Amino acid sequence: MRVREGQPGPVLRRLASTVDAVRTIASRARRAVRGWALADRFAARGDNVVFDPDGVYSFATIELGSNVDLGYRPTLIAARGRIRIGNNVMFGPEVTIRGGNHRTDQVGLPMIAVQKQPGDERYDLGVTIEDDVWIGTRAVVLHGVTIGRGAVVGASAVVTRSVPPYAIVAGNPARVIRLRWPVQTIRAHEVELYPPDQRLSAEELAALADLPGAADPSTVPSATKLLTTDAQDR
């Protein structure tokens, strides 16, 4: 609607403001009650989890770590696989995570009539989202994908294959744009955040060296050098 100057009058504006305030309070109360009722339906849930009670969830197949924000109206569905989300993860609005897929190979049946059979687990591989991941608005993550620690998924990306640690991906299908930092900086970041036995290994860090943003190859340490330096940190 259009609101013109002087219309509606001050009495109607005050009434509208009061009605809107009451409606807002009632909506917040409804969402809070629904959230309390649904929180324990997740398969696992850490501390400080924020989820929109008006989202869509297959609760029994979803495991959440601590300090997780699932954003506004997400869709997280896995019929037989598992959706596992680590610690310190945040979603933008309307993210979709699909932990399964539908068969399209049955001859003589419409796809909606196809039923999964024992042994069809390859169609329900689940999704794993590791620690410290940010998934942007309306991104879609499909089954069989692992999103590595520290990764960023761009808005509206469609993630069809696994994402390396600390990579920024975007597009449809999503591809690696670059690493968040050069490998040496990633290593320093790991030292600050994680105990020695939880850090990326020297081999895992060295595997990032060929990705955009990993720094000049001449400055990226070899796996042997990383192992030596990592041992000193421990």
Side-chain angles (χ1 to χ4, degrees):
M1 64 174 290
R2 294 182 181 180
V3 178
R4 294 180 174 86
E5 186 176 356
Q7 294 181 346
V11 173
L12 284 179
R13 285 202 300 271
R14 287 196 296 271
L15 177 61
S17 178
T18 301
V19 170
D20 184 64
V22 170
R23 186 193 62 83
T24 299
I25 292 170
S27 176
R28 289 176 178 172
R30 179 198 64 81
R31 285 169 53 83
V33 170
R34 181 169 170 79
W36 296 333
L38 296 177
D40 289 336
R41 293 180 59 185
F42 290 104
R45 175 174 56 89
D47 297 328
N48 192 32
V49 169
V50 178
F51 74 100
D52 185 345
D54 293 329
V56 178
Y57 311 95
S58 58
F59 290 96
T61 57
I62 300 171
E63 301 174 8
L64 306 175
S66 295
N67 197 29
V68 171
D69 188 338
L70 296 180
Y72 173 75
R73 291 198 174 176
T75 298
L76 282 72
I77 298 177
R80 296 193 295 180
R82 306 290 279 189
I83 297 173
R84 295 182 172 90
I85 298 176
N87 301 317
N88 302 310
V89 172
M90 58 181 175
F91 289 6
E94 299 181 344
V95 169
T96 296
I97 310 292
R98 292 301 310 267
N101 201 357
H102 197 77
R103 295 191 63 168
T104 60
D105 61 344
Q106 292 283 354
V107 176
L109 281 176
M111 287 181 288
I112 196 171
V114 174
Q115 300 295 319
K116 291 179 182 176
Q117 303 296 327
D120 284 350
E121 288 78 11
R122 67 188 184 277
Y123 296 101
D124 292 276
L125 297 178
V127 170
T128 298
I129 299 172
E130 296 183 349
D131 296 345
D132 189 25
V133 168
W134 177 18
I135 301 182
T137 300
R138 293 183 177 172
V140 177
V141 181
L142 300 181
H143 84 128
V145 163
T146 293
I147 299 181
R149 174 191 295 174
V152 176
V153 177
S156 298
V158 179
V159 185
T160 60
R161 55 186 176 182
S162 293
V163 176
Y166 295 98
I168 298 172
V169 300
N172 180 8
R175 62 182 181 86
V176 175
I177 305 301
R178 60 178 175 85
L179 293 177
R180 286 173 60 191
W181 302 297
V183 172
Q184 287 285 46
T185 305
I186 291 173
R187 181 185 164 280
H189 178 76
E190 290 266 309
V191 169
E192 290 292 327
L193 287 187
Y194 302 104
D197 62 336
Q198 294 180 20
R199 296 172 195 159
L200 294 180
S201 69
E203 290 82 1
E204 289 171 319
L205 288 168
L208 302 177
D210 293 331
L211 296 177
D216 186 88
S218 64
T219 66
V220 175
S222 66
T224 301
K225 184 175 180 181
L226 282 169
L227 277 170
T228 303
T229 310
D230 195 50
Q232 293 172 351
D233 286 334
R234 292 170 192 266

